[in-house]
Short mmCIF file of all heavy atoms in Angstrom, two decimals:
data_model
loop_
_atom_site.label_atom_id
_atom_site.label_comp_id
_atom_site.label_asym_id
_atom_site.label_seq_id
_atom_site.Cartn_x
_atom_site.Cartn_y
_atom_site.Cartn_z
N LEU A 1 88.74 95.42 96.35
CA LEU A 1 88.29 96.81 96.47
C LEU A 1 89.45 97.76 96.73
O LEU A 1 89.48 98.88 96.21
CB LEU A 1 87.26 96.93 97.60
CG LEU A 1 85.87 96.37 97.26
CD1 LEU A 1 85.01 96.28 98.51
CD2 LEU A 1 85.19 97.24 96.21
N LEU A 2 90.42 97.33 97.52
CA LEU A 2 91.60 98.16 97.75
C LEU A 2 92.39 98.35 96.46
O LEU A 2 92.96 99.42 96.22
CB LEU A 2 92.48 97.54 98.84
CG LEU A 2 91.88 97.51 100.25
CD1 LEU A 2 92.83 96.85 101.23
CD2 LEU A 2 91.50 98.91 100.72
N ASN A 3 92.44 97.31 95.64
CA ASN A 3 93.09 97.44 94.34
C ASN A 3 92.32 98.41 93.44
O ASN A 3 92.91 99.24 92.75
CB ASN A 3 93.18 96.07 93.67
CG ASN A 3 93.98 96.10 92.38
OD1 ASN A 3 95.11 96.56 92.36
ND2 ASN A 3 93.39 95.61 91.30
N ALA A 4 90.97 98.32 93.47
CA ALA A 4 90.14 99.20 92.66
C ALA A 4 90.26 100.65 93.10
O ALA A 4 90.06 101.58 92.30
CB ALA A 4 88.68 98.75 92.73
N LEU A 5 90.60 100.86 94.36
CA LEU A 5 90.77 102.22 94.89
C LEU A 5 91.93 102.95 94.18
O LEU A 5 92.02 104.17 94.25
CB LEU A 5 91.03 102.13 96.39
CG LEU A 5 90.78 103.35 97.26
CD1 LEU A 5 89.35 103.85 97.13
CD2 LEU A 5 91.09 103.05 98.71
N LYS A 6 92.78 102.19 93.50
CA LYS A 6 93.92 102.77 92.78
C LYS A 6 93.74 102.72 91.27
O LYS A 6 94.63 103.10 90.53
CB LYS A 6 95.20 102.03 93.17
CG LYS A 6 95.54 102.07 94.65
CD LYS A 6 96.79 101.27 94.97
CE LYS A 6 96.53 99.78 94.89
NZ LYS A 6 97.68 98.95 95.33
N MET A 7 92.59 102.20 90.81
CA MET A 7 92.37 102.00 89.38
C MET A 7 91.75 103.23 88.72
O MET A 7 90.96 103.95 89.33
CB MET A 7 91.38 100.84 89.16
CG MET A 7 91.98 99.46 89.13
SD MET A 7 90.67 98.26 88.77
CE MET A 7 91.63 96.75 88.75
N ASP A 8 92.08 103.44 87.45
CA ASP A 8 91.36 104.41 86.64
C ASP A 8 90.18 103.69 86.00
O ASP A 8 90.24 102.48 85.79
CB ASP A 8 92.28 104.97 85.55
CG ASP A 8 93.35 105.90 86.13
OD1 ASP A 8 93.04 106.56 87.15
OD2 ASP A 8 94.45 105.94 85.57
N PRO A 9 89.09 104.40 85.71
CA PRO A 9 88.87 105.83 85.91
C PRO A 9 88.43 106.16 87.34
O PRO A 9 88.25 105.27 88.16
CB PRO A 9 87.75 106.13 84.90
CG PRO A 9 86.96 104.86 84.86
CD PRO A 9 87.98 103.76 84.98
N LEU A 10 88.21 107.44 87.57
CA LEU A 10 87.87 107.93 88.91
C LEU A 10 86.61 107.28 89.46
O LEU A 10 86.52 107.00 90.66
CB LEU A 10 87.71 109.45 88.86
CG LEU A 10 87.29 110.14 90.17
CD1 LEU A 10 88.34 109.95 91.24
CD2 LEU A 10 87.03 111.63 89.92
N ILE A 11 85.63 107.03 88.62
CA ILE A 11 84.36 106.45 89.08
C ILE A 11 84.57 105.09 89.74
O ILE A 11 83.85 104.71 90.67
CB ILE A 11 83.35 106.36 87.91
CG1 ILE A 11 81.95 106.05 88.46
CG2 ILE A 11 83.79 105.34 86.87
CD1 ILE A 11 80.86 106.17 87.42
N ILE A 12 85.58 104.34 89.29
CA ILE A 12 85.90 103.06 89.89
C ILE A 12 86.46 103.27 91.30
O ILE A 12 86.10 102.57 92.26
CB ILE A 12 86.92 102.28 89.04
CG1 ILE A 12 86.32 101.96 87.67
CG2 ILE A 12 87.38 101.00 89.74
CD1 ILE A 12 85.17 100.98 87.70
N GLN A 13 87.32 104.26 91.46
CA GLN A 13 87.91 104.55 92.77
C GLN A 13 86.83 104.99 93.76
O GLN A 13 86.82 104.55 94.92
CB GLN A 13 88.96 105.65 92.62
CG GLN A 13 90.12 105.27 91.71
CD GLN A 13 91.02 106.46 91.40
OE1 GLN A 13 91.19 107.35 92.22
NE2 GLN A 13 91.61 106.47 90.21
N ILE A 14 85.91 105.82 93.30
CA ILE A 14 84.83 106.28 94.18
C ILE A 14 83.92 105.12 94.56
O ILE A 14 83.53 104.98 95.73
CB ILE A 14 84.04 107.41 93.49
CG1 ILE A 14 84.92 108.66 93.34
CG2 ILE A 14 82.78 107.75 94.29
CD1 ILE A 14 84.31 109.75 92.51
N GLY A 15 83.59 104.27 93.60
CA GLY A 15 82.76 103.11 93.88
C GLY A 15 83.41 102.19 94.89
O GLY A 15 82.74 101.64 95.79
N ALA A 16 84.72 102.03 94.79
CA ALA A 16 85.46 101.19 95.74
C ALA A 16 85.40 101.79 97.14
O ALA A 16 85.19 101.07 98.13
CB ALA A 16 86.91 101.03 95.29
N ALA A 17 85.58 103.09 97.25
CA ALA A 17 85.52 103.75 98.57
C ALA A 17 84.13 103.59 99.18
O ALA A 17 83.99 103.34 100.39
CB ALA A 17 85.87 105.23 98.43
N GLN A 18 83.10 103.71 98.37
CA GLN A 18 81.73 103.56 98.88
C GLN A 18 81.45 102.14 99.34
O GLN A 18 80.77 101.92 100.34
CB GLN A 18 80.73 103.99 97.79
CG GLN A 18 80.78 105.50 97.51
CD GLN A 18 79.99 105.89 96.27
OE1 GLN A 18 79.68 105.05 95.41
NE2 GLN A 18 79.65 107.16 96.17
N ALA A 19 81.98 101.16 98.59
CA ALA A 19 81.81 99.76 99.00
C ALA A 19 82.56 99.48 100.30
O ALA A 19 82.07 98.76 101.17
CB ALA A 19 82.29 98.83 97.89
N LEU A 20 83.75 100.05 100.44
CA LEU A 20 84.51 99.89 101.68
C LEU A 20 83.79 100.55 102.86
O LEU A 20 83.86 100.06 103.99
CB LEU A 20 85.92 100.47 101.51
CG LEU A 20 86.84 99.68 100.58
CD1 LEU A 20 88.08 100.50 100.22
CD2 LEU A 20 87.25 98.35 101.21
N GLU A 21 83.10 101.64 102.59
CA GLU A 21 82.30 102.30 103.64
C GLU A 21 81.23 101.33 104.15
O GLU A 21 81.02 101.20 105.36
CB GLU A 21 81.64 103.55 103.06
CG GLU A 21 80.74 104.28 104.04
CD GLU A 21 80.01 105.44 103.40
OE1 GLU A 21 80.21 105.70 102.19
OE2 GLU A 21 79.20 106.09 104.11
N ARG A 22 80.55 100.64 103.21
CA ARG A 22 79.51 99.68 103.62
C ARG A 22 80.10 98.50 104.38
O ARG A 22 79.53 98.04 105.37
CB ARG A 22 78.75 99.18 102.38
CG ARG A 22 77.85 100.21 101.75
CD ARG A 22 76.91 99.57 100.75
NE ARG A 22 77.62 98.96 99.65
CZ ARG A 22 78.02 99.60 98.56
NH1 ARG A 22 77.79 100.91 98.44
NH2 ARG A 22 78.66 98.99 97.59
N ILE A 23 81.25 98.02 103.91
CA ILE A 23 81.88 96.87 104.58
C ILE A 23 82.20 97.19 106.03
O ILE A 23 82.01 96.37 106.93
CB ILE A 23 83.15 96.44 103.81
CG1 ILE A 23 82.76 95.66 102.55
CG2 ILE A 23 84.08 95.59 104.69
CD1 ILE A 23 83.91 95.25 101.67
N GLN A 24 82.64 98.43 106.28
CA GLN A 24 83.05 98.79 107.64
C GLN A 24 81.88 98.99 108.58
O GLN A 24 82.08 99.11 109.80
CB GLN A 24 83.93 100.04 107.60
CG GLN A 24 85.29 99.77 106.99
CD GLN A 24 86.25 100.92 107.20
OE1 GLN A 24 87.31 100.77 107.80
NE2 GLN A 24 85.88 102.09 106.73
#
């Protein structure tokens, strides 16, 4: 997920941030 946070396109980065929100 941290790797995806740096990936294009933007929707992937946002999805990664949302998944990290749930993990925390």
